[in-house]
Amino acid sequence: MTVMNVVHMRVKPGMEDEYIRLHQDLDVTSWQGGRNFWLVKSGERSFIVVGEWDDMASMVAARPAMIASLDRLRPILEDLGGGRGVTEPWSGEVALHLGR
């Protein structure tokens, strides 16, 4: 069953290019079970990272690597407020896929 993880982040002013560069430097091909990864600019200084995985076990196994990449980003991230910290993560099994 395909699994997706989605994480919302907002960068500090003037740090958008650095944020994108840090993602370009990631070696996501080493994350076993990872299929596709997208970085979506969702607004002014706001981004959403989307990962597609073979299954939940693959995504869970990759969490240490994902946390390590987040640790590199933390200095340029802005607190999202409301007790959320610097990320708002969601994940789960795909319930419906439309398209090709």
Side-chain angles (χ1 to χ4, degrees), residues 9-19 44-47 73-79 86:
M9 297 177 231
R10 184 171 49 236
V11 299
K12 293 177 180 175
M15 301 304 295
E16 291 181 68
D17 290 343
E18 178 68 4
Y19 179 80
E44 185 177 335
R45 298 186 294 117
S46 287
F47 291 87
L73 297 169
R74 283 183 199 282
I76 65 170
L77 296 178
E78 194 172 86
D79 191 290
V86 296

Side-chain angles (χ1 to χ4, degrees), residues 36-69:
N36 293 290
F37 300 90
W38 296 270
L39 181 59
V40 179
K41 184 170 170 62
S42 59
E44 185 177 335
R45 298 186 294 117
S46 287
F47 291 87
I48 298 170
V49 177
V50 180
E52 178 185 18
W53 302 87
D54 289 340
D55 51 41
M56 188 65 76
S58 296
M59 187 191 70
V60 169
R63 280 186 183 150
M66 288 189 284
I67 291 168
S69 71

